[in-house]
Structures are given as C-alpha cells and as structure tokens.
Amino acid sequence: VVHAPTSLMNASLAEEIERERQADPQNFRREFEATWLDDVDQFLPDTDIDLAVVRDRRELPYNPELAGHYRAALDASGLTGKDRFTFAIGNAADNKNCVLDVLRGWTRQGVPLVCDEIKSLCASFGISTIRFDQFGYSFLKELMAQRGLELHQLPFSASSKSEIFMNLKTALAQGRLQLLDHPELLRELRMLECRRLSGGGYKISGPRSSHDD
C-alpha cells in the first residue's frame, strides 16, 4: 500500500490539483494530499445501516391494510446530468417505526414522462399529496397539478437539513427504520460526512462532487 499525495504519484495533474485546492482546501487535503482529517467523520455507522436493511427487499407492493398511512416525497433535478430525480413512498402505520416502500430515481429522461410514472405510483398507493422542497417548486407544482397531484412544500435550509439528518441518524440508531436493499441508496447513506466547522458547528453532506439525493 502506497500512501502519498497525488502530485507525487502523477505530476501531470498539477493544474487540476491546483483547481481542486482552491475550490475546497479541506477536501483537497484528504483527496489529493492523502491526509487523514480528524474533523471529518462518517455520519451514519455502517452497523446501523446494515441492521435497517431488509435483505433482498427491492420494493414493497401496496398493502390495503395501510391505506391512508402512505406518504410520498420527491427530490427533483434537471434530469440533464448525473444528479437523480428521486421519488420515495414510505409509511409509519404504527406512528413509531418507518418503512421505506418504494424508491425510484431517474436521470436524462423527459420531465413529463417522469411525472407520469410518479402519478401512476401515487395512484397505486392512494396518494394525492407529495412533499417537496422549494427548488423547482413552481414548475413542478403545475406539472403535478395537471396529473391530479398536490405538492406540499417543505422549504429546506441549512438548519432544517441538519435536523432531518439528525432525525435519520436517531431513527437508525434506535432501529425504527426499515430500508430497501437498494445499492445506490445504501452507498449514499454510507458516504454521508459530518464535518466540524471552524465556528464549532457541523455540516452534514456527501463528499464534494457526490450526491445525497
């Protein structure tokens, strides 16, 4: 095993390395200078994630006994790059434990086609309202309204995002969450980082250039 900075291993990348250093000095130290950083930790323990995954469960069908308990949410993207347009359905029928029933993601597809598929999924689960953040809200609100669906806006901010992540961490630690055996979901959960800031606060996110849809 060789532990060395990128500049030593491949001098031809000097220009790219300098761009990375200027863009994110902390990430640069870890990714290009091979420096172990004490101020960045994995946010979710692998053991908690592993215990929450129901092995070989890719998706759950509609259960009539859970009618009225299903909830849907989406995280939109422009569908033009690698960032996924993500949609999920879950339930908390006992008001304590949360179950992820459906998780779909799209890239490089037409927005109307994606909205049509979401409409079909919502109809299958008896859902008429979808929770959504403020990004692209006005545009998607009209498209969903044309399909008989209502978007309920939940504005995201730095503080609310941190609160959501902490609720996720707590639910996993307490064994109150059942996850699908979905490779992309599990990869992104494992990549979440908790970064200590100079002012004493924390920032929770995926590594730079990755996604946390």
Side-chain angles (χ1 to χ4, degrees):
V1 176
V2 176
H3 182 257
T6 304
S7 57
L8 180 61
M9 301 297 293
N10 190 343
S12 66
L13 296 176
E15 185 175 341
E16 179 182 348
I17 290 173
E18 178 59 22
R19 285 199 302 268
E20 293 290 339
R21 186 190 66 78
Q22 295 181 11
D24 189 335
Q26 187 159 330
N27 183 73
F28 172 81
R29 288 175 58 206
R30 181 179 66 244
E31 300 296 336
F32 292 89
E33 293 192 328
T35 301
W36 296 106
L37 300 182
D38 294 333
D39 54 355
V40 178
D41 298 312
Q42 182 177 348
F43 179 60
L44 300 173
D46 286 332
T47 52
D48 289 352
I49 296 173
D50 291 339
L51 289 173
V53 177
V54 181
R55 295 301 172 191
D56 298 321
R57 178 188 285 179
R58 307 303 182 188
E59 197 165 287
L60 286 173
Y62 172 73
N63 184 349
E65 296 182 1
L66 298 177
H69 293 285
Y70 289 108
R71 299 291 183 268
L74 67 83
D75 181 18
S77 76
L79 289 168
T80 57
K82 294 182 179 180
D83 196 17
R84 289 182 179 272
F85 192 118
T86 308
F87 176 76
I89 295 175
N91 77 81
D94 59 3
N95 294 317
K96 181 179 179 181
N97 299 305
C98 298
V99 178
L100 181 59
D101 297 271
V102 175
L103 181 62
R104 300 281 180 90
W106 300 268
T107 58
R108 301 185 182 280
Q109 296 187 43
V111 175
L113 292 177
V114 172
C115 291
D116 287 343
E117 188 168 344
I118 290 174
K119 174 188 174 182
S120 178
L121 286 168
C122 287
S124 299
F125 284 80
I127 294 171
S128 59
T129 302
I130 302 173
R131 286 155 178 79
F132 182 56
D133 61 30
Q134 68 269 33
F135 303 106
Y137 175 77
S138 299
F139 172 65
L140 280 174
K141 180 181 180 181
E142 181 178 348
L143 286 175
M144 291 302 182
Q146 294 171 1
R147 292 160 174 79
L149 296 170
E150 178 184 357
L151 286 187
H152 178 64
Q153 187 179 15
L154 294 174
F156 271 19
S157 64
S159 59
S160 66
K161 186 175 182 179
S162 295
E163 182 180 358
I164 290 170
F165 276 132
M166 290 306 301
N167 288 340
L168 169 63
K169 185 179 181 70
T170 301
L172 284 172
Q174 296 176 349
R176 295 189 290 106
L177 185 60
Q178 290 185 21
L179 297 176
L180 298 173
D181 195 351
H182 188 291
E184 184 67 15
L185 165 67
L186 301 180
R187 185 186 70 83
E188 292 192 6
L189 288 176
R190 296 184 199 282
M191 289 179 64
L192 284 174
E193 296 177 341
C194 182
R195 179 173 301 186
R196 285 178 285 277
L197 304 177
S198 58
Y202 292 85
K203 179 182 178 182
I204 303 165
S205 66
R208 195 169 65 87
S209 78
S210 70
H211 303 291
D212 53 8
D213 305 312

